[in-house]
Amino acid sequence: KAGVTQTPRYLIKTRGQQVTLSCSPISGHRSVSWYQQTPGQGLQFLFEYFSETQRNKGNFPGRFSGRQFSNSRSEMNVSTLELGDSALYLCASSAGLGNYEQYFGPGTRLTVT
Amino acid sequence: GEDVEQSLFLSVREGDSSVINCTYTDSSSTYLYWYKQEPGAGLQLLTYIFSNMDMKQDQRLTVLLNKKDKHLSLRIADTQTGDSAIYFCAESLEGNTPLVFGKGTRLSVIA
């Protein structure tokens, strides 16, 4: 069974631009969560989607948004990029609500210049 | 509130046992996890334990949970150079809420 895939793996953007990251969960998994990893703040939760609905949201500004499609694939969007948005963005999938096994993808490394 | 703390570094010799420690503050945490991250990679789920358990063993990995002290440990037996990585402790309430991670412990294995 294929694991969680994320595209692109690396991205360089300029301040003020917007970016869209994509995540395909493990086949059959319906829950997708997004995390931001930085050296200073560590791993922080962004949001979680299940059956195309946002179930949980972390403490991030409204510039960070996401969505989930009917095939469980998810995208996250960051608008008006800031230097501080440079991070590794990780996506995790699990089978569904109440499922405690979350499997992570390799991440997208975003650099904002 | 939720908070997870870990020591930042651990260095061991190949063949020795490694013990990575973690403390958490939320007594409601019902699921506790250990993840491994190698350079340039995502997080690999190593093992997890429910808060109604004291110990879980999985091949070279042993997880010990002391609920009274809110202390979790991961023991890696016969540590190999391939175990060099950053290990993250994480907690979750009821298993379907966001994971709260510690800052990670960087394990260095000396040949």
Side-chain angles (χ1 to χ4, degrees):
Chain A
K1 195 183 257 192
V4 179
T5 57
Q6 293 186 244
T7 57
R9 290 293 312 278
Y10 303 92
L11 206 48
I12 299 175
K13 288 286 189 178
T14 305
R15 266 183 306 175
Q17 288 186 314
Q18 67 94 25
V19 68
T20 299
L21 312 182
S22 180
C23 171
S24 293
I26 292 170
S27 178
H29 283 194
R30 298 171 61 193
S31 175
V32 172
S33 298
W34 289 88
Y35 292 82
Q36 182 197 63
Q37 185 178 27
T38 60
Q41 298 299 315
L43 283 149
Q44 294 185 288
F45 170 74
L46 282 156
F47 24 67
E48 179 192 5
Y49 288 88
F50 176 80
S51 291
E52 303 177 66
T53 301
Q54 187 181 88
R55 289 189 60 244
N56 281 302
K57 188 176 191 305
N59 189 25
F60 278 81
R63 300 186 296 107
F64 291 82
S65 63
R67 59 177 175 167
Q68 186 180 35
F69 302 94
S70 58
N71 63 357
S72 296
R73 189 177 71 85
S74 177
E75 288 181 348
M76 67 163 281
N77 183 277
V78 188
S79 63
T80 319
L81 284 165
E82 300 177 0
L83 294 178
D85 297 332
S86 294
L88 180 67
Y89 290 87
L90 292 161
C91 165
S93 81
S94 65
L97 292 177
N99 185 279
Y100 38 82
E101 296 181 30
Q102 291 195 34
Y103 297 92
F104 283 78
T108 294
R109 171 76 61 186
L110 172 64
T111 302
V112 182
T113 62
Chain B
E2 302 168 342
D3 195 16
V4 178
E5 295 195 1
Q6 306 177 236
S7 53
L8 295 180
F9 301 99
L10 177 65
S11 181
V12 299
R13 293 202 175 276
E14 191 175 20
D16 287 350
S17 291
S18 308
V19 179
I20 303 171
N21 296 300
C22 166
T23 57
Y24 58 98
T25 56
D26 196 326
S27 58
S28 304
S29 292
T30 55
Y31 297 85
L32 295 144
Y33 305 80
W34 285 104
Y35 280 88
K36 175 184 180 182
Q37 186 176 37
E38 296 182 82
L43 301 178
Q44 176 191 353
L45 176 61
L46 290 176
T47 187
Y48 55 88
I49 189 168
F50 303 135
S51 58
N52 62 357
M53 298 168 64
D54 297 323
M55 186 184 90
K56 182 178 181 182
Q57 188 155 1
D58 185 0
Q59 298 183 335
R60 293 191 297 123
L61 305 179
T62 303
V63 178
L64 294 177
L65 176 60
N66 181 326
K67 290 184 285 294
K68 174 175 169 291
D69 295 336
K70 297 177 190 169
H71 181 266
L72 183 74
S73 68
L74 174 69
R75 178 177 180 269
I76 306 172
D78 187 25
T79 312
Q80 302 297 307
T81 54
D83 295 323
S84 293
I86 301 176
Y87 291 80
F88 290 92
C89 170
E91 64 175 356
S92 172
L93 305 180
E94 303 173 356
N96 61 353
T97 54
L99 296 172
V100 176
F101 287 89
K103 295 286 193 207
T105 299
R106 184 179 295 274
L107 173 65
S108 296
V109 181
I110 305 164

